[in-house]
Amino acid sequence: MSRFSELKAVDPSVLDSVAQQPGAAKPDPVLTATGITRRFGGLIAVEVEHLEVQRGLITALIGPNGAGKTTFFNLITGFDLPDDGTWTFEGREMGTLPPHKVARQGMVRTFQLTKALSKITVMDNMKLGAPNQSGENFFRALVHPLWRQQEDEIEERAIALLDRFKLSHMSDEFAGTLSGGQRKLLEMARALMTDPKLIMLDEPMAGVNPALTQSLLGHVKSLRDEGRTVIFVEHDMDVVRDISDWVVVMAEGMIIAEGPHSAIGENQAVVDAYLGTHHDSALTFDDETTAKMAAEAAAGADSAEGTDT
Amino acid sequence: MDWGQIFSFAIESALGTQAMYFALAAIGLNIHFGYTGLLNFGQAGFMICGAYGLAISIVEYDLHWLIGIVVGLIASGIFALLLGIPTLRLRADYLAIVTIAAAEILRIVVRATSLRGFTGGSNGINGFTAGFQDARPGFLDGGIDLGFISFSSRQSWVLFLGWITVLLGVGFTYLLIHSPWGRVLKAVREDEDAARALGKNAYSVKMQSLVLGGLFGALGGIFFVLAQGSVQPTPQDFGTPKTFFIWVAMILGGTGKLWGPVIGSVIFSGLLAFTDSALRQAVAADYVPKSIIDGVQVGQMRFILLGLGLMVLMIYRPQGIFGDKRELALDAN
């Protein structure tokens, strides 16, 4: 049961009519960002002119290392403050809200380096996620009957989610004993305890073994089926092709392309960003080509070394 | 050597005033560090707030001792807010630097000559325990005598009330830690950003923890001076070493464990008295030649032995007496 009764699944075909260009307007944006700039000294880490994220669908944010994807995540979740720019969530101006208030609006994030809370149990990790807990007030916390019932309800939800993420056998263990992949699952499950409208996953598949990747992908898709919006950063193009409804490409802090994944690989700006300019082959989401690209890159490195010596 | 006397000294100290007020201050430190991960190196500062709050309200303003205790608690709450507002938004180590400095500043300020009329300057304050002792219930008038150890009537009353406060403090901590509030506290200890990302106000929770632990520090200071009968701004009473002894007591018992700070304080005080009296008797009975140590040097020697003992503990039981080794292993990740 969701505290947001209006959540309902959205048909991905609504994006068919959207222009495939940076800053394209979406039929029903849940998140819009305008003129977001973040400088670190002389370096402009993020410079996003305009971005709209469609409600209820899965948007992938890709780009080469250092493109500013994680910084952008930090900015719109309140973990970092932009030098300039505004963004709205559900039409509400987010301004300079601190992270915990952003989260309370229904916008939750996970981290690139998983933040399992090691020395508390998996179950407590889950319960922590639940919003509006009356027992989190210092004075009410002292009187256990005041929050006992809510605690039981939260526990029920946590058990259901742990079952769904196949972690229920670990529920009494310290979260620090989980494997890397299980921590990713726990972090996603814990984020779901907040019952978010928008969930932002920072490299959810990094370091997860292939067998677990499939189940994680399934979980992400099921979020869309529940009507939740997903934004995720990912480097694995297979994952992007598999689950994303829309792809946003960042490079050097700017959004350089937007479109469905089928169109992104053909986009000259994207190819340039990933492979350098004056490259004439299209970027495809295909294992063979990826391998070839890697080989070429390696060969390039070799020849560069060759000229050095 | 009179082993009976050595052990009765040790047990008397283990149950005595030092163990009692260490336990109170260590409960506070455990809330700070054990549950919230706040590095407070100025617990002595909170003790000063409690001790001087009590003494000044009784001597200068003629208030009831219970009101004096409340004044001491309020003073330490204000001290916590002053320390917390600028530092709790920053990384954990900033609080450590600020608390260690602020506690010393406070001690040096109260011993200032210009404040002599108010805080007594370097002489401190005496004669504020009469009202407290008048309130002593009749059954403690004869003191407490357990045969091999005994406490005077004045001491008994402080100990009686102090240990009850310790028990209440442990119960209070239990209720808080086993609540959603306690869960947020521990989450902040593990990873502040994760807690924030889940909608928890880490700053506010850290502030609440700093104030709460500071109140226990103040109670420690209050019972310390009620037992001692005077407040003196000396380094051995309220200086940085005191803070570190309280840290030792907490770590000895087990950080982040409910009974850790209490048991740690009992063992710390007991061991200190044991090494002291055992050494003294060994020296007096010439088991230890005077050329190695004499009676005067025993005072220093006992801390060296205690330090050795702590090293052994940290090697073989780094999690403390009550600690959970599994938790420590998780730190490696």
Side-chain angles (χ1 to χ4, degrees):
Chain A
M1 202 183 71
S2 172
R3 64 189 162 126
F4 303 119
S5 49
E6 73 272 24
L7 283 183
K8 54 179 186 288
V10 174
D11 184 355
S13 64
V14 297
L15 291 174
D16 290 350
S17 56
V18 172
Q20 294 174 10
Q21 64 190 42
K26 307 294 183 306
D28 180 15
V30 65
L31 180 81
T32 65
T34 309
I36 302 250
T37 312
R38 178 71 172 105
R39 296 182 201 88
F40 295 116
L43 176 83
I44 299 175
V46 169
E47 196 175 16
V48 171
E49 272 180 38
H50 191 72
L51 175 68
E52 295 186 5
V53 175
Q54 168 61 35
R55 176 193 311 279
L57 296 182
I58 301 176
T59 302
L61 186 59
I62 66 169
N65 290 325
K69 305 179 296 289
T70 298
T71 311
F72 184 64
F73 255 40
N74 286 343
L75 289 172
I76 53 182
T77 49
F79 278 89
D80 194 2
L81 289 177
D83 297 299
D84 208 359
T86 56
W87 65 100
T88 62
F89 176 63
E90 289 280 7
R92 198 187 151 195
E93 187 68 43
M94 299 299 270
T96 53
L97 279 190
H100 66 274
K101 290 198 178 148
V102 173
R104 287 175 193 176
Q105 302 290 316
M107 185 164 147
V108 71
R109 70 169 295 183
T110 65
F111 293 88
Q112 190 173 350
L113 298 169
T114 329
K115 292 185 186 295
L117 304 167
S118 304
K119 279 184 275 180
I120 61 180
T121 63
V122 169
M123 179 51 92
D124 275 346
N125 262 272
M126 293 295 287
K127 285 178 177 173
L128 183 74
N132 307 324
Q133 297 189 45
S134 67
E136 284 178 4
N137 174 289
F138 177 83
F139 296 103
R140 267 183 300 230
L142 284 167
V143 190
H144 286 210
L146 285 181
W147 46 263
R148 184 59 72 192
Q149 198 198 340
Q150 191 189 20
E151 183 83 355
D152 291 343
E153 288 164 13
I154 290 169
E155 184 154 347
E156 234 168 78
R157 277 185 56 215
I159 289 171
L161 270 173
L162 284 175
D163 270 344
R164 178 170 151 193
F165 283 81
K166 308 223 162 28
L167 285 171
S168 35
H169 61 291
M170 301 296 283
S171 85
D172 295 328
E173 302 290 329
F174 283 129
T177 62
L178 298 182
S179 72
Q182 285 174 320
R183 287 181 199 203
K184 291 269 179 197
L185 285 171
L186 173 63
E187 202 176 17
M188 205 185 286
R190 190 176 66 193
L192 284 181
M193 281 298 287
T194 67
D195 191 14
K197 287 181 188 169
L198 169 64
I199 180 164
M200 306 178 69
L201 308 167
D202 199 347
E203 300 201 20
M205 311 299 166
V208 175
N209 79 53
L212 206 53
T213 306
Q214 280 312 313
S215 84
L216 265 167
L217 289 179
H219 290 312
V220 175
K221 284 188 214 165
S222 70
L223 297 179
R224 175 179 56 192
D225 300 339
E226 288 170 9
R228 301 184 204 276
T229 313
V230 180
I231 306 178
F232 72 103
V233 170
E234 190 51 64
H235 282 298
D236 185 336
M237 293 307 169
D238 285 329
V239 170
V240 172
R241 182 181 50 195
D242 194 352
I243 61 171
S244 65
D245 299 308
W246 193 256
V247 181
V248 175
V249 189
M250 282 183 83
E252 291 167 6
M254 285 176 284
I255 292 177
I256 56 166
E258 275 192 52
H261 55 77
S262 53
I264 286 296
E266 314 287 332
N267 186 305
Q268 192 57 43
V270 178
V271 174
D272 288 349
Y274 268 91
L275 305 175
T277 45
H278 313 300
H279 204 282
D280 44 25
S281 77
L283 180 66
T284 52
F285 296 97
D286 179 312
D287 282 345
E288 222 176 317
T289 331
T290 326
K292 211 166 74 192
M293 265 160 45
E296 274 173 27
D302 283 349
S303 64
E305 271 171 38
T307 50
D308 279 344
T309 47
Chain B
M1 279 170 74
D2 183 354
W3 285 102
Q5 198 192 22
I6 292 172
F7 278 106
S8 64
F9 269 150
I11 292 168
E12 201 174 297
S13 292
L15 302 174
T17 47
Q18 182 184 302
M20 177 267 292
Y21 79 79
F22 263 50
L24 282 170
I27 288 173
L29 202 56
N30 196 33
I31 292 170
H32 286 157
F33 180 70
Y35 292 117
T36 327
L38 298 176
L39 283 170
N40 169 19
F41 287 127
Q43 194 68 333
F46 291 98
M47 293 174 68
I48 292 177
C49 292
Y52 274 89
L54 173 81
I56 292 173
S57 15
I58 293 173
V59 173
E60 293 291 323
Y61 299 101
D62 233 3
L63 296 171
H64 191 266
W65 60 275
L66 277 173
I67 298 174
I69 289 178
V70 174
V71 170
L73 292 175
I74 291 172
S76 90
I78 294 170
F79 186 57
L81 289 175
L82 284 177
L83 293 179
I85 288 169
T87 55
L88 288 183
R89 285 185 204 278
L90 305 172
R91 256 191 0 241
D93 27 0
Y94 289 93
L95 182 72
I97 298 165
V98 168
T99 46
I100 198 169
E104 272 302 281
I105 291 171
L106 196 59
R107 187 177 69 79
I108 290 164
V109 165
V110 293
R111 73 191 289 272
T113 321
S114 52
L115 287 176
R116 189 182 290 272
F118 193 60
T119 62
S122 53
N123 293 328
I125 306 173
N126 297 304
F128 51 85
T129 56
F132 172 73
Q133 289 296 346
D134 286 345
R136 183 175 62 224
F139 68 90
L140 289 171
D141 280 347
I144 297 174
D145 194 348
L146 299 176
F148 61 105
I149 55 169
S150 63
F151 298 104
S152 73
S153 55
R154 296 178 66 86
Q155 256 191 322
S156 311
W157 177 216
V158 183
L159 285 174
F160 179 76
L161 215 57
W163 282 116
I164 285 178
T165 313
V166 169
L167 292 182
L168 289 177
V170 171
F172 189 75
T173 316
Y174 174 87
L175 286 177
L176 279 174
I177 293 309
H178 293 90
S179 77
W181 186 83
R183 191 156 61 217
V184 177
L185 214 61
K186 285 188 263 186
V188 166
R189 175 190 70 192
E190 294 300 308
D191 196 310
E192 252 177 68
D193 281 345
R196 284 207 187 94
L198 294 170
K200 312 301 170 193
N201 188 347
Y203 177 70
S204 159
V205 157
K206 285 198 288 184
M207 185 64 88
Q208 291 169 32
S209 161
L210 188 66
V211 171
L212 179 67
L215 295 183
F216 279 103
L219 280 174
I222 287 166
F223 279 98
F224 170 46
V225 295
L226 280 176
Q228 189 168 263
S230 68
V231 194
Q232 278 157 352
T234 56
Q236 63 262 41
D237 276 7
F238 291 109
T240 313
K242 177 85 17 123
T243 299
F244 286 110
F245 286 150
I246 295 165
W247 270 88
V248 168
M250 175 189 71
I251 292 169
L252 197 61
T255 317
K257 294 283 167 254
L258 194 62
W259 287 98
V262 180
I263 301 301
S265 303
V266 167
I267 292 174
F268 177 83
S269 304
L271 270 184
L272 205 58
F274 177 83
T275 48
D276 185 57
S277 55
L279 265 178
R280 251 175 237 292
Q281 294 212 14
V283 170
D286 269 338
Y287 289 125
V288 181
K290 294 271 191 303
S291 56
I292 297 180
I293 54 168
D294 59 33
V296 186
Q297 289 165 330
V298 164
Q300 280 96 57
M301 196 61 200
R302 61 183 181 152
F303 284 117
I304 295 174
L305 288 181
L306 192 79
L308 276 175
L310 278 173
M311 283 184 212
V312 172
L313 181 86
M314 286 298 109
I315 290 166
Y316 292 103
R317 204 173 164 78
Q319 71 274 34
I321 291 160
F322 272 86
D324 185 339
K325 197 144 198 179
R326 289 188 307 156
E327 286 189 20
L328 211 69
L330 295 177
D331 280 338
N333 296 334

